[in-house]
Amino acid sequence: MNVVIQKDTFDIVIIGGGMVGASLASLLSASQPQLRIALIEAQAFARADEMHFQPSFDARSTALSYGTVAILRELGLWDLLQQHITPIAQVHVSDRGHFLGGVIDAEENNLDAVGYVVENAWLGKVLLEHVQAQHNIQCFASSTVTALTPQQDCALLNVKTNAQEFLIKTSLAVIADGGDSPLRKSLGIGTQVRAYGQTAIITNVEFSEPHHGVAYERFTADGPIALLPLGESNSVQQSALVWTLPAAQADQILALNDADFLIQLQERFGFRVGRFNRVAKRFSYPLQLVLAEEQIRSHLVLLGNAAHFLHPVAGQGFNLALRDCVCLVETLREATEKNKSPGDLAVLQTYIHKQSFDQQITIEFSDKLVRLFSSDQLPLIAMRHLGLLSLESIPLIKNQFIAQTMGNAGRQFRWKLEESNSAAAGDEKIIDSCVRVNADESLNNVDYDVVIVGAGLVGASLACAIAQTDAARNLRIAVIEASSDLPHFSGDHFDPRVVALTHASQKLLSDIGCWDSIVKRRVCAYREMKVWDGEGTAAIEFDCADVKQSHLGHIIENSVVVNQLRERMAQHKNIFLIQPVTVAQVIPAQAEFPRVRVQLTNGGEITAALLIAADGAQSKVRELAEFSTREWDYGQQAIITTVRTERPHEFTAWQRFMHTGPLAFLPLQHNGDAHSCSIVWSAEDDLAAELIALNDEDFCARLTSAFEARLGRVIACDKRYAIPLRQRHATSYIQPGIALVGDAAHNIHPLAGQGVNLGLLDVIALAQEIERALTRAIPLADYSILRRYQRQRLASNLGMMSAMEGFKRLFGNRTLAVNWLRNTGMRQLNSVSAIKKIIINTALGVS
């Protein structure tokens, strides 16, 4: 009869010494070195001095997201890990049998890699070595927990090792013992299971061409095929294979000899990596989504596969688990600072509250992706074609897809000790004074470092964004403005021109220091967006509650934003506003005079290291500097005015698509009254002229009919304005010493209200590049600054413009087949919450 003895007391006990358990132990030790931590693992641990690693063709591998790498860097393990990792330079997503596909490229996104592939043996070795080196972690190898009994103030663990049994008392027990967790079952914690009826065949393959660091996700009717590059250089001809098949078909494939297996793989995957000529030992795993019905109890938390076992289609399993670990560590550190027990139920509820959204969107992302791309139903085939087209052409969707797959879509964590964070920040801080083109040059009052032409919303934002940084405190920034007066703001009447600002734009204005002042004037937050097809029955609705935000954006009068930006400009001593004057001539920098010369209409001349055109769609700087553009008329005009409706707008943005053009109602409010809207009615030229010519009563009646009386009758309207719509895009945003931003670089159809937001994204990118250059002592005339800016913005803006052009043509087409396709697509999209969340988050500009 074995005797159970009291062994020890620990603050935290981790059950499961795999990659998740070892990662948690390492993170806890770094965050709170005073904790006593136990790590219990059923398998034997090798001693650190006995662990050897040799890359193996038969080894299993894991894809590490960019977010995971950031965590491992903070933990201090990345320098060692990267000795045996494979960077992913590009991810290629495609649908077998169809030409559409998407590419995520590291270089295009200014990244060293999209992600990394590491052999599990190497990752496990590095993690285990780190764990065994920590003085506050005690490892119990070849040990199993036979019983876990929660108590009022602790949890008791019965631990068996060899023939001995002992008790461990702990404030918090962490179960990380895998997807088939025996402890989860013994505690009566149920699971929700979705069987996919699929099996994953996992192995490594060798082929005839170098992989060049490219990862492939190939969707077929039977299931996805993933290839992850292996080896320590791009010339290696090996990849890890995850081949998903229906269970019965997988059994048949597994039974084949190596040669026949490779033939079947070649037929389904194609020849993107040449000819497959070798396969390693094969493993198979039935696939299902398994979610624990409880992740926490008092003194108990489940992590990793014990909490959520995902389909491997997007490689999110370990990466999500590591983010769970970091969130838990952060929560426990905060609890310690408040003298709370780590096993307190309220503490663990805080952890779940923080991390639930990341878990939900990642789980739904993986689940919906495989269900969408494994279906042969016609509507879902149409949807995935649209999805792949969007991934390639719509930057907002592509960026969110990238953020999700790279592990950057969730919240940011602060898990380390404050002293550690402060020290690290101090080590990286670079302080530099203003950098001139020529250190010997004596600058006078007509010589500036940066000259911005245009003091509108984009130009004024850019001036403030540059001036407020420490690195730019000695810069001389000139802003040239043609008008002498500020846009007029009336507290009694609404400005006819409004902007719909996303969260990203709001954050920029907040960082600049003028958001609070804008809010005090007048804004209207909208919580929902309702879009419907005027030529059909389909509709789609977006709600801020779906992504746990308080609003989707703000509708703000243009004059409010510009006035507050001008006030903020006046507070910066290094910004010099020159008005009213326009640019008469631009003389590019030359070898004998390496500064851009700007001649003004008042006869004066100023010079700049960097000239930035923010002077709008009819940019004089763009014209004088001879930037080439691609442009065409839409044959439409946008009618804008402010209207009053019979019913309140419900703080909702409304948009109806018609073949003659879209109609948008954007909510406004004044002193709590919610019956006013700004409208943008895009109509063909003849119809626009007819509408402008109507008297107010007839116009309101036509508008009520066009809007289908969604808010009752339109009972009043202000003066109407008609703006001709034209698509315009500079083929390049930069020349030596000159950059275009905002409408000077790109005009876009107003149907999605993204014009100003794209311009403010230009501002963010260019201001960051200027700050980066200043902190690295790079002259502002260095062309690399502008090249980096253009890489960030040109393709992204082109993608958005192409998408808007596509939407305009799609909804302007009255063909029966196209009508059916767009209505079917809208209905399907409205029913897939995960994709809607991605669209909302990308539109908001949040990560």
Side-chain angles (χ1 to χ4, degrees), residues 153-172:
D153 60 348
C154 68
L156 290 179
L157 281 66
N158 290 65
V159 182
K160 182 177 181 180
T161 176
N162 298 324
Q164 184 185 21
E165 289 190 43
F166 53 88
L167 288 174
I168 288 180
K169 179 181 178 182
T170 182
S171 177
L172 177 61

Side-chain angles (χ1 to χ4, degrees), residues 625-646:
E626 298 182 347
F627 281 83
S628 61
T629 61
R630 293 184 65 251
E631 50 189 282
W632 60 90
D633 285 318
Y634 281 116
Q636 290 184 334
Q637 298 184 46
I639 299 172
I640 61 172
T641 187
T642 304
V643 301
R644 188 165 180 82
T645 56
E646 189 175 20

